Amino acid sequence: MDETRKRPADEDNSNIEEKLIKKDLVPQGILLGYGNPLLDISVQGTAEYLEKYGLKSNDAILADDKHKPMYKEMIEIFKDSVEYVPGGATLNAIRVAQWLLQTPKATTFMGCIAKDEFGDILTKAAQSAGVDVKFQYTDKEPTGTCAVFCTDKDRSLVANLAAANCFTESHLDDANVWATVQRAKYIYFAGFPLTVCPPAMLRIAKYACDHNSVIAMNMSAPFLCSFFKDQMLQMLPYADYWFGNETEADEFAKANDLGTSDRKEIALKLANWEKINKKRSRVVVITQGPDPALVVVDGKVKEFPVTPITEEEIVDTNAAGDAFVGGFLAQLVQGKSVEECMRCAHHTANVILHRTGCSLPDKPTFS
């Protein structure tokens, strides 16, 4: 073989992206996500119940021993409102992107589950949505769950990672699994796997960087910005797109001594952080609830107002941030502008705010 010729798997992805844009194609496997697959157990709770377990509205934490009894208890206490929805931040975003793209297996997801009832529910739901799943299986823990308490349209998340916490880098040694990494031109991580298997994230990110694939990552929760600061800072140099909300941006600035509470300045500092792939500048997106999102593109901060919604229209806020990212990614993989990505992101978050959890209508209406 002539070694000067590039093999298809090693072709510079910028050339591939250009061809895809020209042909207006969305190939299978273009977007890959790795995260913690969880089955959301969603209830309409009460402030008193949150207080019982020391939980806060609009927060996301990992379960510890004191939370373990809560999962069975909440089903019994709030049985009239219990809903089971496939979840986990990364899988939510990937499912939303898949729904918008409408091309079977345009997206792929990997994570760890058990071969149990909840694992079957997750697998069937993801596959029926068109997502190609590459699960690692464990018999050490049951499939992970996330308690979702909705109170006054806010949500508090308590994740019991269980099987998701058993994901190992060795899963990437499977040739079929690694082929999905090689095929993907865009890769997305929520921040939560930083608590599970940073080596797998770094291995994927390094390969993607070497082959000019696009890496997008989300800070995902304030506690990750502080308690898992070192792991997050390992990933930041590989990120082409960096997402977060206002509380995460504030905590990142505090944890890393940025010396400012101005979110525009925080976004600019994130955009200018060390970056390994110099072929494109980093885009930073900071959402601020009902206030305009801040986006840094080529060193300049832009503001993007949210899609209007009244308080009465909001069903709950669970997964709205994940849907926002899913909408953004769905346009990004099609080569659309940041402006178009943001328009779809806000539109899709608005759709989810009108629904329970990360549930989706049959067909998308974005155009």
Side-chain angles (χ1 to χ4, degrees):
M1 177 185 290
D2 181 1
E3 292 296 324
T4 62
R5 293 183 59 190
K6 289 185 178 180
R7 296 187 302 275
D10 295 330
E11 185 176 351
D12 188 322
N13 284 340
S14 60
N15 294 333
I16 295 174
E17 290 167 13
E18 183 178 352
K19 294 174 186 176
L20 294 176
I21 294 168
K22 288 180 179 178
K23 294 182 179 180
D24 197 27
L25 297 176
V26 180
Q28 291 187 345
I30 192 171
L31 173 61
L32 168 66
Y34 158 53
N36 299 331
L38 304 171
L39 187 67
D40 284 355
I41 304 173
S42 179
V43 300
Q44 293 294 322
T46 63
E48 291 75 18
Y49 194 80
L50 291 183
E51 186 176 340
K52 175 181 178 179
Y53 284 98
L55 304 177
K56 301 176 183 178
S57 296
N58 285 327
D59 197 11
I61 64 170
L62 296 178
D64 57 29
D65 288 341
K66 74 177 182 181
H67 298 116
K68 297 295 174 66
M70 183 179 66
Y71 293 85
K72 182 178 179 181
E73 182 183 85
M74 62 186 274
I75 294 172
E76 295 173 351
I77 294 177
F78 304 106
K79 59 185 177 182
D80 292 338
S81 66
V82 174
E83 289 189 72
Y84 297 95
V85 183
T90 308
L91 182 53
N92 282 343
I94 293 295
R95 282 200 302 120
V96 169
Q98 177 63 54
W99 171 71
L100 286 160
L101 291 170
Q102 293 286 298
T103 299
K105 297 185 178 181
T107 63
T108 309
F109 175 82
M110 66 173 69
C112 189
I113 63 172
K115 292 184 177 180
D116 56 15
E117 180 183 2
F118 285 171
D120 288 342
I121 293 173
L122 271 173
T123 301
K124 290 175 181 176
Q127 290 177 334
S128 65
V131 178
D132 184 18
V133 293
K134 301 294 181 186
F135 286 127
Q136 185 177 31
Y137 296 96
T138 183
D139 56 8
K140 297 178 181 178
E141 294 280 355
T143 296
T145 52
C146 183
V148 181
F149 295 96
C150 300
T151 55
D152 290 331
K153 303 182 181 181
D154 294 331
R155 93 287 182 265
S156 182
L157 308 179
V158 186
N160 180 22
L161 298 185
N165 209 30
C166 298
F167 187 91
T168 61
E169 186 184 356
S170 63
H171 189 53
L172 303 179
D173 295 332
D174 183 305
N176 188 38
V177 172
W178 188 247
T180 66
V181 177
Q182 293 175 307
R183 184 168 62 244
K185 307 300 177 284
Y186 297 82
I187 296 169
Y188 175 64
F189 305 105
F192 294 111
L194 291 173
T195 73
V196 177
C197 194
M201 299 172 72
L202 282 168
R203 182 170 165 184
I204 294 170
K206 288 176 181 177
Y207 179 88
C209 187
D210 289 344
H211 294 80
N212 200 35
S213 296
V214 174
I215 293 286
M217 187 164 170
N218 201 320
M219 291 186 282
S220 294
F223 81 91
L224 292 169
C225 300
S226 50
F227 293 107
F228 292 86
K229 179 180 76 170
D230 292 343
Q231 294 89 330
M232 185 174 286
L233 294 183
Q234 281 185 308
M235 289 297 297
L236 179 52
Y238 292 97
D240 298 292
Y241 291 81
W242 191 260
F243 294 92
N245 64 25
E246 68 275 33
T247 58
E248 293 151 12
D250 293 349
E251 186 63 26
F252 184 95
K254 180 180 176 181
N256 290 281
D257 300 319
L258 296 191
T260 181
S261 58
D262 185 314
R263 291 191 192 123
K264 290 183 179 179
E265 291 185 16
I266 295 170
L268 283 168
K269 287 178 180 289
L270 280 164
N272 292 325
W273 206 277
E274 174 197 1
K275 191 171 188 296
I276 294 173
N277 186 349
K278 309 294 185 183
K279 294 182 179 180
R280 60 178 76 89
S281 61
R282 179 178 295 119
V283 174
V284 174
V285 181
I286 304 297
T287 59
Q288 303 184 102
D291 296 326
L294 306 176
V295 182
V296 179
V297 182
D298 294 329
K300 297 180 180 179
V301 182
K302 299 181 180 181
E303 296 189 20
F304 291 83
V306 302
T307 303
I309 185 170
T310 65
E311 188 68 25
E312 292 72 26
E313 291 177 293
I314 298 175
V315 174
D316 72 55
T317 58
N318 182 31
D322 300 333
F324 175 94
V325 175
F328 190 102
L329 294 174
Q331 300 307 305
L332 184 66
V333 303
Q334 297 179 79
K336 301 298 178 63
S337 67
V338 168
E339 287 75 16
E340 193 69 0
C341 291
M342 287 298 296
R343 189 171 73 87
C344 186
H346 279 314
H347 167 87
T348 311
N350 185 275
V351 169
I352 293 298
L353 287 170
H354 283 87
R355 303 174 66 85
T356 301
C358 195
S359 60
L360 296 162
D362 290 338
K363 295 289 183 180
T365 57
F366 180 79
S367 61

